[in-house]
Amino acid sequence: MAHDDKPENDGPPHDGQEGEAQKAADAKELHRTVREAGEAELDRPAGALFWSGLAAGIAIHSSLIAEGALHAGLPEAPWRELVASLGYPVGFLVVILGRMQLFTESTITAMLPLVTKPSGWALRRTLRLWAIVLLANLIGTALAAGMVAGGALGNAEIRESMLAVSERILALGGWETFVNAIPAGFLIAVVAWILPNGRTQAFWIILAITYVIAIAGFSHSIVGADETFLLLFTGKIDGMRALFGLLIPAILGNLAGGAGLFTLLAHGQVQGEARA
C-alpha cells in the first residue's frame, strides 16, 4: 500500500532531534564559521568592499542622529546620558544586520584566516580589506557629518544636541582615546564571534553590547570618526587634533582590541584544531 512506503521520519522531529538542531556550536565550529566568513570577505572585489563600506559609514551616522534626538528631548538629569545612549546601538543594528562592511567588525573576521594559515597572500589581502573598508567608512562618516554641519540634516535643536553628544570625546587625550578604544574593538569582535550562535537573538546581542560601549565611554573608531568630523566641520577642533588626537588613536586601539587581543584569545582556544 502507498502509506507503507512513507518514511518513518516524515513526521515532526522528536525531542532529541530538536535538541540536536538547537545545540549551540562549540568554539571550533564558531572559529570555522567566522573564519570562512573572513575568507569570503578577503575574496570580495575592491569595488564591492568600498561601496559596502561607504554605505556603512553613512548608516552608522544614525547612531549620532538617534543619540542627538534623545538628548534633545530629555530634561537635564543625572540619567540623561544613560537614556540618550540607547540611540548609540541604532547605527550598529543597521550596519550589522544590513551586512555592510564595518572596519571594527572586519578586524577579527579578516584576522582568523591569516592566523590559521599564515601567508604573504593572506597578509596582503587582510591589509587590503582593512584599508578599503576603513577609507570607505571614513568617507561615509565625513559625508554624513558634513551634511549635518551644513544644516542639510536635522533641525537646529537636534544639531546642537548632536554636537553636545560629540563633544564628550574631547575629554580624552590621544593616549586615553587609544586605551578606551581597546575594549571597544574587543567587544565589537565579540559581536562578530557570537552572532553565528545567536542569529535569532542578533538584535538583542548587538543592542546590549553596543549600549555597554556607549555608557562606558569606550572609543569606537567609526562612530568616533563621525563625531570627530562633525566637530571639525563646525570649527570645534582643528585638523591636527582630529587626526592625531582622535582618529588615529581610536583606530589603533580598536585594532589592538579586536585584531590583537580578541583574535589571540579566540584562536588560542582552538589552536591545533582550527585547520580541521
Side-chain angles (χ1 to χ4, degrees):
M1 294 177 65
H3 64 270
D4 289 335
D5 296 327
K6 186 177 180 179
E8 292 182 5
N9 60 354
D10 248 16
H14 54 70
D15 291 343
Q17 289 175 316
E18 288 182 348
E20 192 68 27
Q22 295 172 3
K23 187 184 295 183
D26 61 18
K28 180 182 175 182
E29 291 169 332
L30 272 176
H31 187 287
R32 177 183 54 78
T33 300
V34 177
R35 185 179 77 242
E36 288 176 352
E39 290 168 350
E41 289 176 5
L42 294 177
D43 283 334
R44 291 187 71 185
L49 290 172
F50 178 83
W51 289 110
S52 181
L54 182 66
I58 295 172
I60 204 72
H61 184 70
S62 55
S63 285
L64 187 53
I65 292 175
E67 280 191 282
L70 286 169
H71 187 274
L74 293 169
E76 287 283 354
W79 45 262
R80 187 183 194 182
E81 286 193 13
L82 287 176
V83 178
S85 293
L86 287 170
Y88 189 88
V90 172
F92 290 93
L93 287 165
V94 173
V95 169
I96 297 174
L97 296 181
R99 309 292 292 172
M100 302 173 199
Q101 289 285 348
L102 188 65
F103 172 68
T104 45
E105 193 187 10
S106 69
T107 54
I108 181 174
T109 53
M111 275 297 289
L112 285 185
L114 176 61
V115 297
T116 303
K117 296 180 180 178
S119 68
W121 179 90
L123 176 61
R124 289 190 298 273
R125 280 280 165 163
T126 299
L127 295 176
R128 164 186 173 271
L129 172 68
W130 286 351
I132 294 171
V133 172
L134 178 59
L135 176 64
N137 284 174
L138 293 178
I139 292 173
T141 55
L143 289 173
M147 293 182 70
V148 173
L153 286 179
N155 58 40
E157 184 183 10
I158 291 179
R159 283 196 297 274
E160 285 302 313
S161 290
M162 291 168 71
L163 274 170
V165 169
S166 299
E167 285 174 349
R168 291 179 303 195
I169 66 175
L170 299 180
L172 302 177
W175 173 252
E176 294 167 312
T177 298
F178 170 78
V179 172
N180 272 274
I182 294 174
F186 185 92
L187 288 171
I188 294 299
V190 169
V191 172
W193 177 261
I194 64 179
L195 274 185
N197 238 0
R199 283 294 174 190
T200 57
Q201 295 86 34
F203 176 91
W204 299 109
I205 292 169
I206 298 166
L207 176 68
I209 293 177
T210 54
Y211 181 65
V212 169
I213 292 174
I215 61 175
F218 296 145
S219 303
H220 185 271
S221 56
I222 307 306
V223 175
D226 191 19
E227 296 167 335
T228 299
F229 284 128
L230 181 58
L231 294 170
L232 177 65
F233 296 155
T234 53
K236 303 291 184 181
I237 56 173
D238 59 26
M240 291 292 288
R241 175 76 188 278
L243 184 61
F244 296 105
L246 297 169
L247 287 177
I248 291 178
I251 290 167
L252 294 178
N254 285 172
L255 278 172
L261 181 58
F262 188 83
T263 301
L264 176 67
L265 297 175
H267 183 67
Q269 65 179 321
V270 297
Q271 194 169 11
E273 301 177 309
R275 294 173 187 269

